[in-house]
Amino acid sequence: MIEQHPLQVELVERIDWLVRLRWIAVAGTLVGIMVASAMEPGLPVGPLLAITAAIAGYNVVFLLYARRLNLRRGTGIRRRQSPVFAQVQIALDLIALIALLHFAGGVENPLAIFLVFHVIIASILLTRTASFLVALFAASLYAAMVLGEYAGVLPHHHLPHLAGAGLYLQGVYVAANVFAMTVTLLLAGAMASSITTRLRERTQDLLQASQTCEIHSSGLTEANDKLRELDEARTRFIVTVTHELRAPVGTIISALDLVLGGYAAPEKQRKVLSRAQARAQELLDLIRDLLELSKARQIEGTQQAQPVQLAQVLENVVELMRVEAENKGLFFSVDVEMGISPVLADPDQMKAVWTNLISNAIKYTERGGVTVSLSQTADRVVGAVQDTGMGIAADDLPKLFEEFYRTGPAKAAVQRGTGMGLAIVKRIVESYGGQVWAESEVGKGSKFSFALPPTTARPDAAAPAAGEQDVNQPA
């Protein structure tokens, strides 16, 4: 569909208005002929009725053509043909009006003032140039009629009740009448066109202001929706955090009440206090993760970024993680490519990324081991942690990076955990323009990977590995 200018739309709608107005003019002309014929016995009623019938006839044609244009609403054809259609209608109306004036007294008929109305209508509907041409055309037709009767080229139909006999033969009167009519038509066209042009400009300004307001309103609506979403997310986060904090705090209070109230036997007090200590440690872990998540949320792009060698950060983390893996009897291997470009990030947060991924892998792996790798492709530095643990079901993969989310098997295997580690990893990596994703199969282990844009590209880097997927998508 072709978009139309609002003023062109107005012209298109006025086409139907012109057709309806012409029916009123036909009815008024018939009434005028009847009244005038009663007052002027010599009035040539036949030619006047014939002209009126001709007006009605071509108006029927205009009506049918207008309906045809309406069927093409929204097309370029209707938009292009409407101005020409309006000009043709106005031109034929002027010719018909001049013919009616000729058979109804010519220069003697005061109803010649109706020519001004046609010029004003043209100025309203058409461009300034087109309205000027219409005014000039109307003045030329009127001058041709009056001068034709004066020169005897056209027969004059005298109406005794309108003017004295021979008035149309008085040269000074004829010249003054033609001059006055020409000036009146041109001035009327100029004034109406000037006013219409200013109104159109004001209308255009209002339309542009309205569109600007709509754009701003749309922007405010979007901002309001985002604020509502943020508020809902904040509320959900607070509710979730409150729920997660309530359980360990409740356990600690209950244990302390048992001991302090003397309800626990001396031989059981140590066990009760150990349980409280474990829950307190869980609470500390949760608080630590919440603080880490809060720090990750405060990152805005590269605000805290600096060139960081991920290999160097990994080396510092590996020393601690290797001991943890060996204590569980797991093998632990690290594979780092040479010459990897640095990435723009915060060193401490990159340490948190490696620590969370590796510690999770060790935590949920009972046999086999953990392999950590770092490589670079043409457009990104890729870190990966692969384990031989329990694996993750396909239904759980899309939810892994949500806050507080832990799978059922993970809870059963390791009771202690906050479900915040992967959410922190996702938040940190994405804040620096990276991606994080997971690949896993139940019983066959898991592989967690993240990618960050390097500060410098490696022309000799291999193409991205096949089968890698975006965040939260199962392999």
Side-chain angles (χ1 to χ4, degrees), residues 72-140:
R72 299 184 177 184
R73 186 182 299 273
T75 64
I77 295 177
R78 187 170 186 251
R79 176 175 53 85
R80 291 192 300 269
Q81 292 185 359
S82 291
V84 178
F85 187 31
Q87 293 172 21
V88 171
Q89 291 187 70
I90 293 172
L92 285 178
D93 286 341
L94 288 173
I95 295 172
L97 179 57
I98 292 296
L100 289 172
L101 289 174
H102 168 63
F103 288 104
V107 72
E108 303 168 357
N109 196 326
L111 296 180
I113 195 65
F114 284 150
L115 289 170
V116 177
F117 295 152
H118 283 76
V119 171
I120 292 176
I121 291 174
S123 299
I124 294 174
L125 297 180
L126 305 177
T127 63
R128 177 173 293 183
T129 301
S131 61
F132 173 78
L133 293 176
V134 168
L136 190 61
F137 180 64
S140 300

Side-chain angles (χ1 to χ4, degrees), residues 204-218:
Q204 185 65 23
D205 291 341
L206 288 175
L207 289 173
Q208 291 178 352
S210 176
Q211 292 174 355
T212 302
C213 289
E214 289 180 0
I215 293 174
H216 290 168
S217 176
S218 176

